[in-house]
Amino acid sequence: MKSTCPSPVAGAAFALFAALSNGTVGVLSRFAFNEGLDHTAVAFWRCGIALSLISIIVLWKAGGLARLSAAFAGSWKIAVCSALGIFTLYHFETSAFAYAPIPLVAILVFAGGLGAIALDIIILKERVTMGKAFAMVMVVLGGFFLISGDGLETGSLMGVTLALIAGLGYASFIFAWKFFKLRSSLENLWLFLAYGLVMLAVPYFWSGAQIPSANALPSLLSLGVIPSFCGFYCTILALRHIEAYKTQVIESSEPFFSALFAAMFFGEWLTGSGMCASLAIILGALITSTPDRRWRPHTVTCNRRKRVT
């Protein structure tokens, strides 16, 4: 009989692979730009390919269509999250890659995403410890020095602005998902991507509905499969094995992978001060993602029952 007992090792592996997958967004988007696609086409096709893959998985299972129909009822909450986590993130992040270096965009989106912590504190009234307050100051100061240094030297004000909007949208999505108490199921992920595709279709068709060339297909397929599908799906799988805070801590390595791939394929680096500011942001994220000492995680036990014949 197949065991459903959570595995911490598997959870950590899924979270790490999610971070690695998400770290490829910048280089793959740049490859697509080099083949003549604009940011609206890249964002639209990236989401569409991921939705196609999720559709195959959901409909392959028995009763998949019925579960989708049931999940669709009252799915306006997912639509709100999709407007923030798909449309805002995909549209503005992809646009930012056309104006600023990949490592800069990655860390600014990541820093903006930590705004979810501020929303938790203000609206959900979560307790703020001295350690987390200090960590938030680290993130804010790191973001300030990164923008005032690398943001204006190696990037552009437009690129910085677009990256921050994308990060704030992602932060709002994380908060909204928690606020609405939505489940991380495949059916909800399908609706999440479907609503996002409809929204991304507006700027895509407004810009002329550019059809990708054959040369652009490898980068688009990679974008749809690796970060858009594998990134989200591996996060869902990680949450089934380990706590949310552990998943968030491990996925904080995403900017590292983004910078590594940018250096490997395009020779893009942050300056020395930019690297120090980025390190402060990531360390701050790790601290804020760690639970308080008084907090005791719920231990999941696995009951092995004998099969009765």
Side-chain angles (χ1 to χ4, degrees), residues 104-190:
L104 178 63
V105 173
I107 196 66
L108 287 177
V109 170
F110 179 76
L114 294 174
I117 299 169
L119 292 173
D120 288 345
I121 294 170
I122 296 171
I123 299 178
L124 298 183
K125 307 299 182 183
E126 291 196 3
R127 190 168 65 92
V128 183
T129 62
M130 287 295 295
K132 289 191 175 182
F134 177 73
M136 292 174 67
V137 172
M138 288 176 61
V139 172
V140 172
L141 290 178
F144 172 78
F145 286 111
L146 184 64
I147 294 171
S148 61
D150 289 50
L152 299 180
E153 292 177 10
T154 62
S156 69
L157 185 59
M158 177 62 74
V160 168
T161 303
L162 292 170
L164 288 176
I165 293 174
L168 290 173
Y170 186 65
S172 302
F173 148 67
I174 295 174
F175 168 79
W177 195 275
K178 182 190 298 185
F179 182 79
F180 290 139
K181 299 179 181 179
L182 295 172
R183 294 187 305 111
S184 297
S185 64
L186 282 175
E187 291 75 26
N188 282 351
L189 178 57
W190 188 93

Side-chain angles (χ1 to χ4, degrees), residues 194-281:
Y195 280 122
L197 185 66
V198 172
M199 297 175 197
L200 289 171
V202 175
Y204 173 64
F205 284 101
W206 185 268
S207 300
Q210 187 180 15
I211 303 299
S213 64
N215 292 333
L217 287 180
S219 55
L220 284 179
L221 288 172
S222 298
L223 271 170
V225 173
I226 301 175
S228 303
F229 172 73
C230 291
F232 274 119
Y233 193 42
C234 285
T235 297
I236 290 176
L237 292 176
L239 290 171
R240 293 178 181 176
H241 292 276
I242 58 177
E243 293 89 342
Y245 81 90
K246 291 182 180 178
T247 301
Q248 189 173 355
V249 167
I250 296 172
E251 291 191 14
S252 295
S253 60
E254 177 190 336
F256 166 77
F257 290 115
S258 296
L260 178 63
F261 294 140
M264 289 172 56
F265 293 102
F266 294 102
E268 294 183 354
W269 296 86
L270 292 173
T271 63
S273 60
M275 290 183 180
C276 292
S278 299
L279 181 61
I281 292 172

Side-chain angles (χ1 to χ4, degrees), residues 43-56:
F44 175 81
W45 286 103
R46 168 190 172 187
C47 184
I49 293 169
L51 178 62
S52 300
L53 293 173
I54 290 291
S55 300
I56 294 172

Side-chain angles (χ1 to χ4, degrees), residues 29-30 33 39 92-101 105 156 159 162:
S29 297
R30 190 68 61 80
F33 293 156
H39 68 277
F92 290 100
E93 181 186 37
T94 307
S95 302
F97 286 128
Y99 292 94
V105 173
S156 69
L162 292 170

Side-chain angles (χ1 to χ4, degrees), residues 64-76:
L65 187 59
R67 288 194 302 272
L68 273 182
S69 300
F72 181 75
S75 61
W76 65 269

Side-chain angles (χ1 to χ4, degrees), residues 4 21 82 157 194 196 224 237 255 258 280 299:
T4 59
S21 299
S82 183
L157 185 59
L237 292 176
S258 296
T299 302

